[in-house]
Amino acid sequence: FWFRHASERVGIWASTTLWFAVVLHAFGLTALGLARGFGPPTNLGESLSLVGLSTAVIYLSLEWQGRERGLAPFVLVVVVALLISASSIGPAFLVSPLLREDLFPPHASAIILSMSGFTIGAVLSVAYLLQYRQLRSKKQGLLLRRLPSLQGLDAMLRRATRVGWVFLTVAILKPHHLGSQADLMAPAPEGIRPEWYFLFLFQTLKIFPAHVLFVSGETLAVFLILFFVALFFFLPLFDTKPEERRGKIITYSAYAFILYAVILSIWSLL
């Protein structure tokens, strides 16, 4: 309603209600941890619930700093989807003793906060692209009037991404090991398949020959994958003018990569 009519009173009321919902949600998670003797997250439902909570907190802090409420509808869609998914799974009461250790909740919370920062960053990136296209088309649409300026979106994106990187760094530097340490170089047991979003990488490793010249095929495949991941990370530095020839080549390369990932994922399931 606020996004359509831009009523300041409605905007303040909506922000206050969201703050109240965040405090109530945090109180519920705290009560759950006290009732069972160990805190979340201990399963997927609790993790999604914490991601939704921390996403709302990070958004509200960005809203308070920038005095901008135009992104609320986009963020709330993500938060509500996360909470609905979490409620369909529910909390866990019988969990492994490894998940009850004192250092596990801080480590998991740092990871969740980093995920929330990057989630907000993804929403801000989409809003930035929408606003950029509105400005290029020179149409005074609803999005152009309600979304923050490109400078404001850029500043919020930097803050959200900074939050994500800080907490991700904390989680990496202070890892919490569960059980005996795994051998990362050991082959996976027969019949084991990764999650669906890693299937194309799994199939890529399988199609490489055992040796390519004097290098192990698996090692070469891993280094190629890491190279393309690094290239994707630095892509914003290269794709500065998407309307020019280089930008179009990058766009078509992205389409080719998506097609490649879909084909190899289906192949891996056959």
Side-chain angles (χ1 to χ4, degrees), residues 1-244:
F1 182 83
W2 177 89
F3 191 80
R4 194 163 191 84
H5 301 283
S7 171
E8 184 65 21
R9 188 173 68 176
V10 172
I12 295 173
W13 176 85
S15 297
T16 305
T17 304
L18 184 57
W19 272 116
F20 177 76
V22 164
V23 172
L24 191 64
H25 191 104
F27 176 79
L29 290 175
T30 304
L32 173 66
L34 293 174
R36 66 185 182 183
F38 53 92
T42 55
N43 70 346
L44 179 59
E46 294 174 15
S47 299
L48 291 174
S49 180
L50 280 174
V51 171
L53 174 65
S54 55
T55 300
V57 170
I58 292 174
Y59 164 72
L60 286 170
S61 65
L62 291 175
E63 179 187 279
W64 178 76
Q65 292 178 24
R67 298 293 189 273
E68 294 283 0
R69 296 191 176 91
L71 292 169
F74 303 94
V75 176
L76 286 179
V77 167
V78 176
V79 172
V80 170
L82 288 168
L83 295 182
I84 290 175
S85 301
S87 62
S88 65
I89 299 172
F93 291 93
L94 298 175
V95 299
S96 169
L98 296 172
L99 300 179
R100 302 186 186 185
E101 296 181 3
D102 294 337
L103 293 178
F104 176 71
H107 172 72
S109 299
I111 295 176
I112 286 171
L113 284 167
S114 70
M115 292 172 59
S116 301
F118 293 134
T119 300
I120 293 290
V123 174
L124 289 165
S125 300
V126 172
Y128 187 97
L129 291 174
L130 291 173
Q131 188 72 302
Y132 178 75
R133 290 187 177 183
Q134 287 273 316
L135 290 171
R136 285 199 61 193
S137 63
K138 298 180 180 179
K139 294 180 181 179
Q140 298 294 322
L142 182 63
L143 288 176
L144 184 63
R145 296 195 303 270
R146 296 292 180 267
L147 288 178
S149 65
L150 292 181
Q151 292 82 359
L153 288 170
D154 181 68
M156 296 172 73
L157 177 58
R158 290 174 184 272
R159 294 191 194 106
T161 308
R162 192 178 301 124
V163 169
W165 281 117
V166 167
F167 283 104
L168 183 61
T169 303
V170 171
I172 292 174
L173 294 179
K174 294 293 183 180
H176 180 73
H177 301 291
L178 297 177
S180 58
Q181 191 169 357
D183 183 5
L184 298 180
M185 301 307 295
E190 187 176 355
I192 296 295
R193 283 185 176 179
E195 299 291 342
W196 62 269
Y197 41 83
F198 285 134
L199 283 175
F200 75 98
L201 294 176
F202 179 66
Q203 190 64 28
T204 301
L205 292 173
K206 289 173 64 176
I207 62 177
F208 263 74
H211 290 87
V212 179
L213 297 178
F214 55 89
V215 182
S216 168
E218 184 176 343
T219 303
L220 179 61
V222 170
F223 275 106
L224 285 175
I225 291 171
L226 291 176
F227 169 76
F228 283 110
V229 169
L231 188 65
F232 178 78
F233 181 78
F234 290 106
L235 188 60
L237 301 178
F238 305 134
D239 191 16
T240 55
K241 297 180 179 180
E243 68 278 358
E244 294 185 357

